[in-house]
Amino acid sequence: MRIALVNVPHPAIGSRIPDEHLPPLGLLCVGGPLIDDGHDVRLFDGEFGPVPLATLAAEIAAFAADAVLFGHSGSSSAQPIISAVAAMIRPNLPNATIVYGGVHPTYHWRDILAADPNVDVIVRGEGEATGTALFAALGAQAPIDTIRGLAFRDADGRAIATPPAAAIADLDAHRIGWELIDHSRYSYWGGKRAVVIQFSRGCPHLCNYCGQRGFWTRWRHRDPQKLAAEIAHLHRNHGVEVFNFADENPSAGRKPWKAFLEALIAENISVTLVGSTRADDIVRDADILHLYKKAGFERFLMGMENTDEATLKLIRKGGTVAADREAIRLLRQHNILSMATWVAGFSDQSDRDLWHGLRQLIDYDPDQIQALYVTPHRWTPFFSLARD
């Protein structure tokens, strides 16, 4: 089959930075197994420019795809853009199967199938194994109702879903389709050639505003040596200098994380690594932070969420103000930048509360601050507290 993987332009912040752009890892993860199954796969990345929607739709139609697969890291805000592009390509590809995957459609499959007649199938959860099974069935014109992890309309037009697919036990079983991108077009950290990578999926913690645990089901990690070798290959063969870790919590398991750092150091390459982790993991790893730096880490975003202990308890963050402050101090001691997140909207907040939070956050003295407003996603426990 001819399969178009589509990354639509993001309507808000996301992977696009002025003059720089990171590749859509999720689509590459799905694309690698499809290539290995013999499909003709092409990535259409609308983030460059960004590409006008009509132009993007025309390029997909010119490819004469048998199937079009939409996926997006910021899938809630990208939803209306995906629907618009699907409507544009449908007249030119009336027989193509339009598939949609990601976090938002995983949980909102009923709404999407009810509102968008152009979306035929939704992949719920991880897409590598489910995608290969789906496109194998479509190529053979076989039924898809026995494939786990799908949602679609039955013969009567009703939206139905198959049972959830099991979490992928071996994250190295499906390769990333790096050949789908031109590495020279993707950059970060001041124009350096860059990609997005993952050591792990999921998070063992139970923050009530976060849907990652529900989507990924459990924390798993790649083989430390294999990932280190893949990073070294991308650096030596494709000139990649910057690796942005997409993990929610890559350091959740100290033993495999330390093994990865040591394996990457052994590759003897000079790369820049940036990622996110928890402040309490940084404090836990105080004795091996020199390995973080030696491996190449230059910055960590730490999800501190709030400077108020009562709020941290409300949202089941599991962290403490003391650990947050100590993590920033330890990172600075090892010449690693700290980016602290601070999130408003967890509870009723007065101007006085916000002023107090700002003063506390500045007192932490992080190198960078990312201020956000909490989104009450319907699939999170926090939604029940915030829905009114």
Side-chain angles (χ1 to χ4, degrees), residues 40-305:
D40 181 4
V41 182
R42 185 178 299 178
L43 173 67
F44 294 84
D45 195 343
E47 282 278 63
F48 290 109
V51 178
L53 299 188
T55 302
L56 181 63
E59 291 174 351
I60 297 166
F63 178 58
D66 300 306
V68 179
L69 172 58
F70 289 98
H72 206 282
S73 59
S75 55
S76 288
S77 54
Q79 167 63 42
I81 310 301
I82 287 171
S83 289
V85 177
M88 290 178 183
I89 65 175
R90 178 56 82 190
N92 296 313
L93 298 173
N95 298 317
T97 302
I98 296 181
V99 183
Y100 183 15
V103 177
H104 185 90
T106 290
Y107 293 102
H108 289 266
W109 59 269
R110 290 184 182 86
D111 307 297
I112 294 169
L113 290 174
D116 192 339
N118 297 304
V119 174
D120 299 309
V121 183
I122 286 173
V123 174
R124 300 163 57 229
E126 292 173 309
E128 292 93 334
T130 304
T132 53
L134 169 63
F135 289 109
L138 293 176
Q141 298 185 323
I144 63 173
D145 56 358
T146 60
I147 301 172
R148 300 176 72 93
L150 298 179
F152 49 89
R153 299 178 193 85
D154 64 12
D156 297 321
R158 297 172 300 186
I160 61 172
T162 61
I168 296 172
D170 180 7
L171 295 182
D172 292 292
H174 307 281
R175 72 173 185 87
I176 301 170
W178 295 117
E179 67 267 45
L180 289 167
I181 65 171
D182 175 356
H183 285 279
S184 68
R185 301 189 70 192
Y186 294 89
S187 67
Y188 187 45
W189 211 256
K192 294 182 178 180
R193 194 168 294 194
V195 298
V196 182
I197 202 81
Q198 270 185 322
F199 174 66
S200 66
R201 291 181 180 178
C203 180
H205 300 281
L206 296 170
C207 306
N208 71 0
Y209 56 89
C210 178
Q212 296 295 345
R213 186 178 177 90
F215 183 81
W216 297 117
T217 71
R218 60 188 176 87
W219 188 80
R220 295 148 288 147
H221 65 84
R222 289 190 57 182
D223 180 282
Q225 284 72 33
K226 289 181 180 179
L227 179 58
E230 185 167 355
I231 289 173
H233 170 80
L234 289 168
H235 175 70
R236 293 180 181 129
N237 295 80
H238 298 285
V240 180
E241 298 178 84
V242 180
F243 295 83
N244 186 11
F245 281 70
D247 310 42
E248 291 79 29
N249 192 188
S251 55
R254 175 181 161 102
K255 184 176 179 180
W257 181 240
K258 181 172 181 284
F260 163 68
L261 296 173
E262 292 172 335
L264 188 56
I265 291 168
E267 291 286 351
N268 194 29
I269 57 175
S270 178
V271 292
T272 296
L273 312 178
V274 294
S276 304
T277 192
R278 287 175 60 94
D280 43 1
D281 284 6
I282 295 295
V283 175
R284 178 202 69 195
D285 288 348
D287 63 321
I288 62 168
L289 286 180
H290 64 286
L291 298 180
Y292 283 56
K293 184 63 179 180
K294 192 173 182 180
F297 273 104
E298 295 291 339
R299 185 185 71 192
F300 270 107
L301 181 153
M302 293 180 290
M304 296 177 176
E305 302 353 342

Side-chain angles (χ1 to χ4, degrees), residues 1-16:
M1 295 184 70
R2 294 170 66 83
I3 303 173
L5 305 180
V6 184
N7 185 39
V8 299
H10 205 297
I13 65 167
S15 61
R16 191 191 317 134

